[in-house]
Amino acid sequence: MSPPPHGGARPGAGRPASEPTQRLRVPESQVPTVLAYLEAYRQGTSLEAPRPLSLLPSTVALTAFSSRVPAGLPSPADDDVEDVVDLNRHLVIEGHEPSTFIVRVSGWSMIGAGIFDGDEVLVDRALKARQGDIVVAIVNGELSIKRLGKVDGKVALLPENAHFKPIVFKEGETLELWGVVTRCLRNLR
């Protein structure tokens, strides 16, 4: 007897037979957010889905000092206050608030660019990616963060870690650039 053409029933696979389904329409720009939320739900992790920064109120104002702090020998900092900095205005390109997201990085392929496992990066979906930019791309249905480049004249996603191989795209393969990484946020404590 030959197996069913699609693999047949598997224990625990699919939805419960008694549970109805419903088709939902989601704006294309929100598909990654919805998918991330569903994946977090399936894994039982935090249900806090990534949200566009424009939905977050701009309530943090920090004092910026005019003096620079040397990374060598310490010197007394002067008390000259230069300005108050609104972090949203400081970190996000003006007018790009609806298209800017924070994405948490998983893995070590970008350590040469100073992006480590667990770091958060700001990704601007309104920017057009250029060769050399660090991008978040959709490769075979999964998000990946790499540097956009070329290998032997072909478009490639380049890791910044010698232990990882470039992803080179051949004729007929597709690459979807999800957004351009503009900043890396790291917790140092």
Side-chain angles (χ1 to χ4, degrees), residues 108-182:
W108 299 97
S109 68
M110 294 302 290
I111 61 173
I115 301 173
F116 299 93
D117 183 60
D119 284 352
E120 294 173 326
V121 292
L122 263 61
V123 181
D124 190 332
R125 298 202 62 207
L127 291 176
K128 182 177 168 87
R130 299 184 296 223
Q131 187 169 326
D133 282 342
I134 296 174
V135 297
V136 173
I138 300 174
V139 180
N140 299 325
E142 294 188 22
L143 291 174
S144 181
I145 180 172
K146 302 282 185 282
R147 190 173 298 279
L148 183 61
K150 290 188 177 185
V151 171
D152 296 329
K154 296 180 181 169
V155 174
L157 294 176
L158 309 173
E160 295 275 341
N161 182 335
H163 297 287
F164 292 81
K165 293 181 180 177
I167 301 170
V168 181
F169 294 88
K170 300 173 184 84
E171 190 72 32
E173 291 184 319
T174 59
L175 163 66
E176 183 181 342
L177 298 178
W178 193 79
V180 176
V181 175
T182 58

Side-chain angles (χ1 to χ4, degrees), residues 61-127:
L62 301 176
T63 303
F65 288 91
S66 59
S67 62
R68 295 180 181 259
V69 177
L73 297 174
S75 64
D78 56 31
D79 292 330
D80 295 333
V81 174
E82 182 178 299
D83 201 357
V84 173
V85 176
D86 175 329
L87 289 180
N88 282 345
R89 293 183 70 198
H90 183 71
L91 297 175
V92 179
I93 297 171
E94 188 174 342
H96 289 211
E97 294 85 355
S99 62
T100 301
F101 296 82
I102 294 177
V103 175
R104 186 175 304 276
V105 175
S106 174
W108 299 97
S109 68
M110 294 302 290
I111 61 173
I115 301 173
F116 299 93
D117 183 60
D119 284 352
E120 294 173 326
V121 292
L122 263 61
V123 181
D124 190 332
R125 298 202 62 207
L127 291 176

Side-chain angles (χ1 to χ4, degrees), residues 6 61 112 147 184:
H6 296 291
R147 190 173 298 279
C184 179

